[in-house]
Amino acid sequence: MGFSPTAARSGLMSCHACHLLSPIPPLSSEGEAICPRCGATLHLRKPNSISRTWALLIAAYILYIPANLLPVMTVISFGKGEADTILSGVKELIHAGMMPIALLVFFASITVPVLKLLALTYLLLSVQYKSQWRPRERTKLYRMTEVVGRWSMIDIFMISILIALVKLDAVATIEPGPGAISFAAVVILTMFAAMSFDPRLIWDSIEEKT
Amino acid sequence: MAAVHTLIACHECDLLHRMHPLHYGERAKCSRCGASLYAKKRDSFEHTIILALASLIFFTIANVFPFMTFELNGRVQESLLSTGVKEFFDREMWALGVLVLCASILFPALKILGMLYVLGPLELNKRPWHAALVFRMVEHCRTWAMMDVYLLGVIVAVVKLSDLANLVPGVAIYSFVALILTLAAADSALDIHAVWEKMEKIS
């Protein structure tokens, strides 16, 4: 069986900021260990990774409902207002024949957040049940989740540009809606959730078995 | 401690690796999970500093000059990069205002200034005050600076308005695109391990 020389097994901890290895301080020591090179707090694993990620993820699931039901913006032209949700914004782009942009928005605002929520849920469950299945692929899934998350902000930035450009009082105005706040919160919460998840836990459960 | 210095742990799966000297342009990957461990870059300090200085110039232009002009029935509306933030604040939607301000202006600015603050003196063999703290902040800004995403937001907004009104791009938009490119180049020129090692040597 492959004995894997990990930092933790060798009595070392790796600094998450500068990657310097330091000996694990004795267990009795209260307070935090500090990286001698960069001053960041040292942890063997991210603190309370699983419960913290669950908390952020559940909050994101809850906010995902208003994010999709409430309007993210309202277009007012000649006194008539029309509210747009995330999904109706995509539909409108399809009707206007702007398929590539519609696909881009659909991918960033609907596909990515949903896949991110599901991927993090799966990763958490797989770690909790000490899954042995394809650790390398699961690490890759985590890496993708971390990188791709920020692209969901496209819609929020689009709204910020629209309200800045279109403000001709009676003729045409665009007002942000309450759904925008919920949606932005979902994106930020899932980004924090991805950050608080520790992919090393995937490999820890593999090593426990070997 | 000397032995520890030749080792590196993968930050994604914790496997220990012995560090080997690399050739320029090479990258070391974790043998177990495939995460990238470290890379060696040519003239990293000089290149990063020059690209960060260029970013600083583009950043200034992007924020000072008009971003886009909106024309409808003879009425003209000009906006800056920061107008969206101001509009959110005017409507008392603070959270969104702060979010857009941080992602498109504040974090990119902190990142550029932080890079220059740390790398400039290090290149001259001086260790700036609180260098480690500032450089850790630069690394955090990497995630939260979202100018590239913002640019896609601009494109979607322009497409949405294209049949409603006439849009004229301003100088700031071109500068913003240039800023995204120079800052991405600065990022890839930056050799993080070299920075920490140099900081350690000088202290």
Side-chain angles (χ1 to χ4, degrees), chain A residues 138-157:
Chain A
R138 278 187 284 146
T139 313
K140 219 174 262 175
L141 176 67
Y142 167 72
R143 214 174 291 150
M144 271 168 57
T145 311
E146 219 188 7
V147 171
V148 93
R150 50 210 283 286
W151 291 95
S152 300
M153 280 293 185
I154 289 179
D155 249 35
I156 300 296
F157 294 144

Side-chain angles (χ1 to χ4, degrees), chain A residues 11-25:
Chain A
L12 297 167
M13 41 201 214
S14 168
C15 172
H16 67 90
C18 77
H19 297 167
L20 184 77
L21 288 165
S22 306
I24 298 175

Side-chain angles (χ1 to χ4, degrees), chain B residues 134-146:
Chain B
V134 175
F135 197 62
R136 277 196 282 138
M137 180 207 73
V138 170
E139 286 296 290
H140 279 296
C141 288
R142 202 187 275 260
T143 320
W144 297 104
M146 302 191 216

Side-chain angles (χ1 to χ4, degrees), chain A residues 108-151:
Chain A
S109 346
I110 294 167
T111 318
V112 168
V114 172
L115 285 182
K116 231 186 132 174
L117 288 170
L118 295 177
L120 284 170
T121 309
Y122 166 66
L123 287 172
L124 280 169
L125 291 173
S126 83
V127 163
Q128 276 182 315
Y129 289 102
K130 306 207 181 299
S131 163
Q132 307 286 304
W133 192 68
R134 291 181 182 257
R136 199 182 161 103
E137 280 68 24
R138 278 187 284 146
T139 313
K140 219 174 262 175
L141 176 67
Y142 167 72
R143 214 174 291 150
M144 271 168 57
T145 311
E146 219 188 7
V147 171
V148 93
R150 50 210 283 286
W151 291 95

Side-chain angles (χ1 to χ4, degrees), chain A residues 40-60:
Chain A
T41 313
L42 290 171
H43 319 280
L44 200 52
R45 296 291 178 263
K46 290 178 189 170
N48 306 320
S49 173
I50 291 178
S51 39
R52 221 179 258 194
T53 313
W54 268 126
L56 292 161
L57 201 57
I58 290 166

Side-chain angles (χ1 to χ4, degrees), chain A residues 56-75:
Chain A
L56 292 161
L57 201 57
I58 290 166
Y61 270 117
I62 294 168
L63 280 166
Y64 189 71
I65 299 162
N68 279 280
L69 294 181
L70 297 176
V72 287
M73 65 174 190
T74 306
V75 183

Side-chain angles (χ1 to χ4, degrees), chain A residues 68-119:
Chain A
N68 279 280
L69 294 181
L70 297 176
V72 287
M73 65 174 190
T74 306
V75 183
I76 303 159
S77 55
F78 299 105
K80 268 174 44 186
E82 200 183 311
D84 257 341
T85 59
I86 296 256
L87 196 61
S88 74
V90 177
K91 267 190 216 155
E92 211 173 279
L93 282 169
I94 297 174
H95 283 310
M98 294 151 179
M99 268 321 265
I101 296 281
L103 277 176
L104 171 77
V105 175
F106 184 80
F107 185 72
S109 346
I110 294 167
T111 318
V112 168
V114 172
L115 285 182
K116 231 186 132 174
L117 288 170
L118 295 177

